[in-house]
Structures are given as structure tokens and as C-alpha cells.
Amino acid sequence: MKKKRIILLSLTLTAVLGILSGCGDGAATEDVGTEVDGRTEGAAGNIQGSSVFTGELEHNVTIRVLENDTAISKGYAKELLDAFNQEYAEYGIKAVDANMDQYLDLANDGPYGYGPDVLYQANDVIMQYTEGKHIYPIPVQEMECYDQIPEIAWNAYETEVGGNTYCCGVPVNVQAPMLYYRKDMLPENWETEWDKDGNGVCDIVENWNAMYAFSVLRHEENPLNYGYMKALYDVYFSGGFLFSYGGYLFGENNTNPEDIGFSAGEAEKGAWVLSQLAGAMNEECIDNTINTTVYGKIADGTYFATLSTPDVYSTFVGELAKAYEGEGMSDKEANELATENLMMASVPKLPESGDLSEENPSLLDPKSMGGINGYAVSSYTKAPNACLAFVEFATSFEMMKLRNEMLGVAPAREDVAEAVGGVSRQLYENLEKGNIILMPSIREVSQIWTPGETFFIDIAKDAFRNAEEKKYKELPDLKKGLEQVDSQIHDAIFTLK
Amino acid sequence: MKQKLERIMSCLKDSSGNVKLSLVIMGGGQFRYGAKGKGILFFLLQLSIIFYFITRGFRDIEGFFTLGTKKGDVWLGVAGDNSVIMLLMGIFAWVVLAAYLYFYVMNISDVYRMQKRLEQGRRNPTFKEEVKQLWDKKFYVTVLALPVAGVFVFNVLPIIFMILIAFTNYGGTVVPPELVDWVGFYNFKRLLSLSQFAPTFVKILTWNLLWAVTSTALNYIAGLFLALLFERDCVKGKAFWRTFPVLAYATPAFITLLAFKFMFSYGGPINQLILSGGGTAIGFLDLDAKWTARLIGLLVNCWISTPSIMLLATGILSNRDSSLYEAAKIDGAGKWKQLLKITMPFVLFSTLPVLIVQFVGNFNNFGVFYFLRGGLYLDGYFLASDTDLLINWLYNLSINNNYYCLGAAISLIIFIIISIISLAVYIKSPSYREEDTFR
């Protein structure tokens, strides 16, 4: 009994001393019980990281890295893992492919030991894991890439818990729609007829009015050919048309699910633009079959242009090269010509009036829905420091540049965007200007897709309905349709909440 | 019940000291009667169950009621309670307790039987003889023990788990590490009191019933037709022709469904043919295509399900009594009459339980419209489309939103509807009422 009392007294004393020593200086704070510390305190923005990141690398550990399927299939993931393993061989740290589905659910798998240690996913997916604290807050301000990545990209990974700001992911690349088109199919006289502003860039790829006019013309010349073609149901691509006229997903910077804004501002003008574009397409714009056939149809010249993400650039070029090879060109010639003719550009500007047939429209910068893919560290990892080292390595200048070269994705790092130039630079600038509306990082975002898709299918279908069957004859009809989308999303989120 | 209790009481009064010993220490009585092996086995069983309950069983039962009291926080290094695991382990603890009670009663009745045998001057079987019986007279026990245990662990436990989830608030934002709570009938109340639900529920239920009846009948008739066709002598290369439906059956249903979706899409081969023939593209499955889409759903489901009925009917038809047909022929019955009066009653009698299973399967056929025409919320429907079945609606409302508790509650409601229909049909059927007709 006496012995027990002595032990108890010693433990109490140790605890009291521990707490008192914690009051002394900042360094000692790490030794007390609190696991989330403020090691980066004092820096601008004051983003906190978890104290599991002590900087002491765990030795002889294997970390499982979940990369996306494209990175694996194109060989980038292997290059990254090999380079990292070589760099950290002396510590016995080995990074391996997690060999899991890229859309895994860490919240359900992680607690039972099935998830990866490091995961690469879109910001909206990663940030859903913060609710259950399934991923660690990362001390991002101590990372080499911190100053190179714009604030807006970091914001996508920030969350507030108990009045503190945490950052739970490291941005890697920007995803946003880009216009793909065939340069060789531009009208021969475009410099005299299709460059009204005389800036040396064809209006067809600069504004939707010219694109629409060209699409109509192209189809009239040959009924089997089309200008711009895209499956309109896709909220990711069509949403931007609404946002350009004042629409939004959720209020308060996409954080308030009570405020749904598909119909906000003059979003109906964006819906009208889509409806007019549908009129210059064929019925394939109603469903999703076009998604698989578009590469071939751009390559064989059936379509002139489409919207897609930068990560499929190599697929477009590959298909076009294949078409050229079919015409008898050598592999090298075909690839060179395909790279020359397949162009990727920013999304064209929109008419302020929403009328695509307007002759000399005032134009506005388009907004588009986008995402930031990045790395996060699972809270269930046994080697957080090794994981952080991996993230640090994978977001270095060299690896991000290699990622861009191999996958064509637009880097979130300014220095890499600067170095590679072109579309990556444009995307980076669009992100900085706020023209890329990042996917909300709240779980309610999962409820926008079905109501949004139904509406966009409906306006695409409307272009092919008989005059008396048309549902959206005027702008107020489109407004009403968008309000219904808002109400459906609200119902989906809150009815059973 | 009263009689049973009286019997137990009289047995207890009548019991010897050895029986009373077994009441306290399992296997004690058996051991003293000389059945040492059996006694030790019972004792070890009791010991291991007591050990289980001391080490975690009681805690699991407590956890079953509380579903956790300490919320975990990975960032703070706080290992909290996982309500879902606690519920699962709690159910398991109850199952172990039930198994313990079962073995306990078995132990008492066994030792009482031993006492009675000895009182009657008969010898009790040795342990070896009893083990031998498990390979002979009680072979069914040996064979069924493992499957029954498997059914309990892999079927009964998840079903109980799912039923209990309907009485919790599990789902939405309440997922581990958040703590789940018992909420009684709150989920059911919420479902019944939501005004938006009723009109959609009625529409979907009506279509669901129509779908289930029509698709079951269509699949059945098509399967029977194919079986009868391939039975005919005039068909050459029967095995070859039978291969095609079997191939359709062997292909995973979702692949078939996606293939059909592509075929009927605007860019698919059917529309390409229509366009090349100078026609205009048809939206077979688009949002205006209510009845066309429903019809395509029925036909595609028929394509997927007919082969199984065909195979079943082929087996049953091979057992037909040909003398009945000969007699009918002599009596002047034509082929149609023979089909209606001999073939159909015979096949229906044998396949009605399967037909009910088919009906249940079709009633809950999630895949057909999810793959063919999923992702639409249409006017006049609350978060559903005009081809959605109750199971698809359930998915939209609950699983899509991670509201597992509501999903479980709706599943229970669907289960009750299907059970009532299936039982009513089965009890009225000749398969149940005239069991010996074709024996």
C-alpha cells in the first residue's frame, strides 16, 4: 500500500513538473501532452502542424503511397518512387505504390489499417477527411515549396479547428478546363476574317461568339462535321458558364452549404450560352458517350474543339499521331505534326449579354470550376516523418517539373509554372486571378452533381425539342430551372440531416 | 410456457447432486458419472466463455448499450471508442452469451439424461461412443455445425447489425471517431413525417410493383419459352444454341448493362444506324424517355435473367411424365391445351418458390436503372427519377449521403413490404397448399 502511494506521488510530481516546464519556453511545449502544436507560430498566416512531425526520420520503414492512375500508367509514379528511395536509402525508408483504388475512402479504411500513408487526391476529397481528423495537419510553412505556391491554393487545404488554422495538404497541380482544338483546321483566312482585335490570335479560340459562329459555319459546310463539341451534362465543365455570370456553388467562399448559388446573379445567361452551343452540336452533347469518342473525333477532324483537363493532353496528341500514322507518316513525323496541330488554350471569353449571335459583344473573362490535387499524410501512418519527407521530395522543383513533362499537368508551384511556361503558366495566372473556382472542400459538395447534371442534360436536350415542347424559351425559364437546381441540392443536403 | 416451467421445476426437484453440480460447474456431473472426457470438454467450454466475458465480453455488452463514451482524436493522440466496432462486438458478445446458454442447457439436460439412465439401470454411453455417434446417427450435427456457425457469423450477425443500425444515428457526420447513439424509432418517425416523401413514395412504389410483376412474368415466360423451344426435336444442335443464353448469363450483369446503355445512347450503334438511314437520333434513355426507358429496362433485365429460368425449366421439363401428353393427345388436346393444362401447372408447381425469389430480386433490382439511367432527379419526384425503384431511391436518399441509419430504416420497410407480398403469394400457392401433388 505504502509502495503504491509512493509511486502515485512520484507520478503526480512528474506530471506537475512537466506542466511547469511547459510554461517556460516554446521548445518545451512539444514535450507536454498536447499533440498539435504551434511550431510555425509567429509566421504570417500562422498555420499549425501536428507535433508528430518532429523532424526525426523513422528508420527502416516502408510507406505506402497512393498516386493517381494516370501517374502510374504513364510511369511518373515509378520515377518518383525510385528517386525517393534512392535519396532515402541510407535511412532504410522505402516508398512503395499503395496499390489501392485511387478513389479509396480513407475515413472508412484508414482506422482499420487499410489506407495508404501518403495520398494524392483532389482538394475536395482530401478535405473531407479533416472532419474525422483522418489526415494530419502539415507544418507547411516549414516546407521548401511554401513560398512558391499561391495562397489561394493553400487556402483549398486549410481548415479551422478550435479557432486554429491547419493546413492538411500540399498542392501539387491545378486542374481546370482547357480548350483543345485543331490548329490546322482553323480557316485559312483567319488572320483577315477571324481576328477582329488584331492581336494575332484567332477569335475562334478567344471568344465563344466566334467559336459559335465557326461551329455553325463548319456544320453548314459539311453536315458530318462540327465545331465545338462537348457533353454538356458535366457540372465540372458546364458550371463555369454559370459562375462567369455571378453564379456560385456555396456561399462564403464555398463554405456555407445553406447558401446555394447556381441561380445567383445572372447565371441564367451562362445557361443560355450553353443552350446556344448545344444548338450548334448534335444530340451526342446530351449524354456521356462523347467522353470516350472525343479523342478519336478530334483526331479524324469530325470535331474542331472541345473542353477537357490538361492531364489528357497526351491522349489527344497520341490519337492525332495515330491518325497521321494511318495516313502513312512515320512515327516521329506523326508525333511532331500532332504536337504542332493539337493546341491547348485557356477557356474562351464570354459575351456580357450571354448572346452568342451578337456581332460585336463586350467580352468578360470566363470563370471555370477547378481543383487542386495534392498530397496529404494519413493520420494512421506509423511513419509520419518519413511521409512528410516524401511529400517534401515529391513537391520539389525537380519532381514537379518532371510531373509536368510526363503528365502534362499544370504545376501549382510558381517557379515550375514559370520554367515550363505555356498553358501551365496560363493556368497558374488564372488561379491567381481567381478565375478558377476551386471545388469546395466541404462534404456537401457531393450533392451538387445529380441536380446539376439533370439540369444541364435538360438544356442540352431542349435544343433538340420541337418549338412547342421547348422548356427553356426565355431567360426567366432558365432562371427558374436553376432555382430548382438550388432547391434540389438544398433538399439533398438538408432533408435528412 | 407454464407447462414447460413446471416441467423444469419438477426436473430440478428430481435432480441428483451430480446434476446440481453441473448447474454450477458445467461438466461436473458428467465427470462424476464417469464421462470424464465430456465433463472436461463442458468445463473447458465454461471456463473459456467465462474467460472471454471477464477479459472483454462484459465490456462489449456494456459497449453495446453505451456505444462508446470517449471520443477519439487522432491529432491529439486520444484513442477513443469506435461505436461501430462496439456495436458489432456487442452483438457478438450477445451471440456468445446465447451460445453459452444453449450449451449450459445442453449440459443440464445431458447430465439429467445420464441420471435417468442410471436410475433405469442402463449404462451411459462412453465418450468414445458419443463421438462415434457424431459420425453415425448424429452425422447431420457434425456436418451442419460449421455451416451453421458460418451462417451466424457471416449472415445473421450482419443482418442483426443492419437492423440495429436503423435504431441509431449512425451516418452523415456521425461516423467514427464521432460517437454513435441509440435513437429508438426516431429514423422511422422522420421517414413517415416528411411531407416531401409521400407523393414520390407512392409513385415509386406503384412503378416498383409494376416493374417487379412485369419483369418476373416476362423473364419467366421467356425462359420457359426458350426451354420448351430447345426441348423440341426439330431443333438441331440444342447444346450449341443453349450456349448463347448461358453466355449472356455468365457475363457480369453490370457489364451487360453498361453495354446496353452505350448501345442505346445518342452516340451508340443504334442511333448511328438510325442516322445513317436518314432518321433523327432517338433519346432512348434520356430524361424525356420515361416509358421507353422503362421498356428498355424490362427487356435488358429479361436478357440478363432469362437464361437462369431457362436452365431451371430445362431441368424440370426433363422430368415430365410423357404418358400424360400421350393420354391428352388421345383425348384430343392440342399443343396449346397441353401447355396450359399439363406443362404450365407442372413447371409452375416446381418453380413457384424460385419465382418468388425472382420477384424479390426484381423488386430490389438496383443495377438495371442505376447503370442504364442513373444520376437524374426529375420534376415531380423528390430526389429521384421516373425509372428509379425503391432501392435506387433509398440509395439516393441515404447511402449517397452516408445516412446509414436511414438506409437501414428504409431497408427494413422494404423488407416488410416484400415479406408480406412473398408470404401471401407463397401461402396461397399450390407449392405450399398441395405439397404432395406431383410426388
Side-chain angles (χ1 to χ4, degrees), chain A residues 73-206:
Chain A
S73 65
K74 302 264 179 193
Y76 171 73
K78 190 178 178 303
E79 293 268 347
L80 170 66
L81 295 174
D82 288 348
F84 174 78
N85 290 339
Q86 203 180 344
E87 183 88 11
Y88 285 83
E90 60 179 300
Y91 302 101
I93 299 172
K94 197 177 175 202
V96 295
D97 178 7
N99 202 15
M100 292 169 189
D101 179 31
Q102 66 171 334
Y103 302 112
L104 99 160
D105 183 0
L106 185 70
N108 279 319
D109 298 337
Y112 310 105
Y114 297 121
D117 298 290
V118 176
L119 52 155
Y120 174 85
Q121 282 181 322
N123 64 297
D124 56 316
V125 179
I126 282 180
M127 292 310 284
Q128 285 181 23
Y129 299 143
T130 57
E131 258 181 43
K133 298 187 176 177
H134 302 292
I135 48 173
Y136 275 129
I138 299 173
V140 293
Q141 287 172 322
E142 293 173 8
M143 294 180 76
E144 180 270 332
C145 63
Y146 185 73
D147 295 327
Q148 293 295 337
I149 295 170
E151 199 184 338
I152 191 168
W154 287 115
N155 289 347
Y157 287 99
E158 279 180 15
T159 184
E160 276 205 22
V161 179
N164 295 320
T165 305
Y166 300 99
C167 190
C168 294
V170 181
V172 173
N173 69 282
V174 186
Q175 282 282 46
M178 299 295 292
L179 183 79
Y180 284 88
Y181 68 96
R182 289 279 298 270
K183 193 176 83 175
D184 55 322
M185 285 183 180
L186 286 172
E188 282 176 12
N189 60 350
W190 72 262
E191 280 163 306
T192 51
E193 296 294 318
W194 295 90
D195 188 16
K196 281 183 186 167
D197 55 5
N199 66 350
V201 181
C202 181
D203 292 345
I204 296 169
V205 296
E206 267 195 328

Side-chain angles (χ1 to χ4, degrees), chain A residues 408-424:
Chain A
V409 294
R413 277 182 77 123
E414 188 180 13
D415 50 359
V416 181
E418 201 74 59
V420 297
V423 171
S424 296

